[in-house]
Amino acid sequence: MVNNNGRAELSSYYCDMHIHIGRASSGQAVKISASDNLTFENIAVEASERKGIQMIGIIDCHSPSVQQDIVQLLDRGVMQEIDGGGIAYRDTTIVLGSEIEIREPGSGAAHVLAYFPDLSTMQDFTQWMNRFMKNIELSSQRIYAAPLELQQEILDRGGLLIPAHVFTPHKGLYGNMADRMRDVFSLNGIAGIELGLSADSAMAGRISELDSYAFLTNSDAHSLGKIGREYNRLDMARPSFHEFRRALAGSEGRGISANYGLNPRLGKYHRSYCSSCQSNLEEGSSIHEMKRCPYCGSTKLVQGVFDHILHIADRDEPLSRIRGHHTTIRFR
């Protein structure tokens, strides 16, 4: 729809852009820790018919077995590829994505999300990744290529690169790999930031290199029931890959107008703790300085998201992100 000024009319759409596949319909395992009934088709039915979510990102679409499922659904007419990128199932648009593990010498591992406009592009990306991955069928596998090379391969195919759950101590870029994203990727090749369950935009707003990015809150669902536990409201002309790109960039009036999710204090990794005695450590504690648990003496300390952000923040107060497309709403 176009208004009298010749500009596209925008509407709000609810979107969850990080949903895993447990198995392909052939029985091939994809995400080992996810439910077996998380197939491509079941996810679409759950999101569209039970949850009313208008756009979803299904991760693990790099798996050849998942791609076979997609081809069969397209051939049967159950789903259709749409102009603007994405696959339509009833009133829901599916954006094809992949979660990939990166690592560089001397650092921890981190997960990133890559999204592509159509199946043929995803299949081409699979062929490239298969040269650098031990098991292309599985989710969240380590890629034995430099992060900058991976970034360029995604961008060259017209894809979007979003660091996943960036602050978590297990496989988050800030939480486990680097204190600054610029040490891992080219900043102008990042489309947005996924906060994760233990953080919100106010916490992330203490880090200045994130000021130009849109923030996403997604479910990272490992079961059908968890789909939509965190989600976003995007203002777009229609739910599609290219409109998703514009919303992340905040261009032509598009944007992310709200993030919905749990209070980050309820997140598993919000506070630093000892994995031996399960005691929370004092607020602001740095496990790098503490070395041992003050309660039991164990060295098995896990840095919490809140405490780590305090450690790496370069401003005392968060940048306000309530400006059109960066409002954060948390359920208490």
Side-chain angles (χ1 to χ4, degrees):
M1 295 287 291
V2 177
N3 61 25
N4 293 333
N5 297 322
R7 299 187 66 179
E9 292 187 359
L10 305 182
S11 298
S12 292
Y13 299 94
Y14 294 104
C15 311
D16 179 0
M17 303 305 295
H18 188 161
I19 302 170
H20 280 285
I21 290 177
R23 288 184 181 270
S25 63
S26 65
Q28 167 67 48
V30 179
K31 183 72 172 178
I32 303 298
S33 59
S35 297
D36 289 350
N37 62 358
L38 270 174
T39 64
F40 192 89
E41 184 171 15
N42 285 349
I43 292 169
V45 172
E46 178 76 10
S48 183
E49 299 181 22
R50 297 196 68 245
K51 300 291 176 67
I53 302 173
Q54 291 131 328
M55 189 166 76
I56 56 175
I58 298 186
I59 307 305
D60 310 325
C61 293
H62 67 275
S63 171
S65 294
V66 174
Q67 292 171 6
Q68 291 175 11
D69 285 350
I70 298 171
V71 169
Q72 291 173 6
L73 290 163
L74 293 173
D75 288 345
R76 288 163 45 201
V78 175
M79 300 181 184
Q80 303 82 34
E81 289 198 287
I82 61 173
D83 293 338
I87 293 176
Y89 173 78
R90 297 198 173 189
D91 296 327
T92 297
T93 297
I94 303 163
V95 176
L96 305 183
S98 174
E99 184 172 50
I100 306 153
E101 183 173 303
I102 59 171
R103 187 167 190 169
E104 289 203 293
S107 73
H111 287 173
V112 297
L113 306 172
Y115 300 95
F116 295 100
D118 51 53
L119 178 59
S120 62
T121 306
M122 178 61 80
Q123 289 170 324
D124 181 70
F125 183 63
T126 293
Q127 291 182 0
W128 175 79
M129 278 209 304
N130 196 33
R131 296 159 48 196
F132 305 96
M133 196 171 282
K134 292 183 178 179
N135 191 339
I136 194 68
E137 288 283 4
L138 296 181
S139 168
S140 313
Q141 294 297 289
R142 172 88 47 89
I143 187 166
Y144 293 89
L148 283 172
E149 181 181 1
L150 171 65
Q151 182 178 39
Q152 193 60 54
E153 291 290 338
I154 293 168
L155 297 180
D156 286 348
R157 291 170 173 79
L160 300 170
L161 174 61
I162 296 177
H165 41 75
V166 289
F167 297 112
T168 58
H170 301 295
K171 309 303 173 64
L173 190 147
Y174 286 113
N176 192 51
M177 191 174 191
D179 288 347
R180 292 290 176 259
M181 189 164 59
R182 61 176 173 265
D183 295 334
V184 181
F185 290 117
S186 171
L187 295 183
N188 60 10
I190 300 295
I193 300 297
E194 184 185 69
L195 296 175
L197 296 175
S198 298
D200 61 15
S201 59
M203 295 165 64
R206 292 173 180 260
I207 300 172
S208 61
E209 75 173 359
L210 298 181
D211 289 352
S212 63
Y213 300 116
F215 292 160
L216 289 168
T217 49
N218 298 315
S219 69
D220 195 357
H222 285 50
S223 66
L224 292 175
K226 292 293 177 62
I227 293 173
R229 66 174 170 177
E230 295 214 348
Y231 59 99
N232 312 274
R233 187 175 70 213
L234 272 61
D235 298 331
M236 304 180 290
R238 62 182 298 199
S240 72
F241 174 86
H242 291 303
E243 284 290 305
F244 179 45
R245 181 195 295 278
R246 292 181 179 127
L248 291 171
S251 65
E252 302 176 62
R254 280 77 166 171
I256 299 176
S257 52
N259 306 126
Y260 295 91
L262 297 172
N263 188 310
R265 294 178 182 178
L266 301 176
K268 180 179 179 181
Y269 302 117
H270 182 68
R271 290 291 313 282
S272 297
Y273 68 97
C274 172
S275 62
S276 289
C277 69
Q278 301 301 310
S279 297
N280 283 342
L281 306 181
E282 183 179 350
E283 186 172 302
S285 297
S286 170
I287 64 171
H288 308 292
E289 299 172 0
M290 185 172 290
K291 305 296 184 184
R292 291 183 176 275
C293 174
Y295 305 105
C296 73
S298 172
T299 59
K300 296 180 179 179
L301 306 181
V302 179
Q303 182 83 72
V305 168
F306 176 75
D307 301 308
H308 187 59
I309 289 175
L310 291 180
H311 178 67
I312 66 174
D314 55 3
R315 58 164 66 107
D316 293 331
E317 296 296 328
L319 177 74
S320 174
R321 301 184 72 89
I322 302 176
R323 53 181 187 191
H325 68 283
H326 286 309
T327 303
T328 297
I329 300 173
R330 289 280 173 180
F331 300 125
R332 296 185 180 275

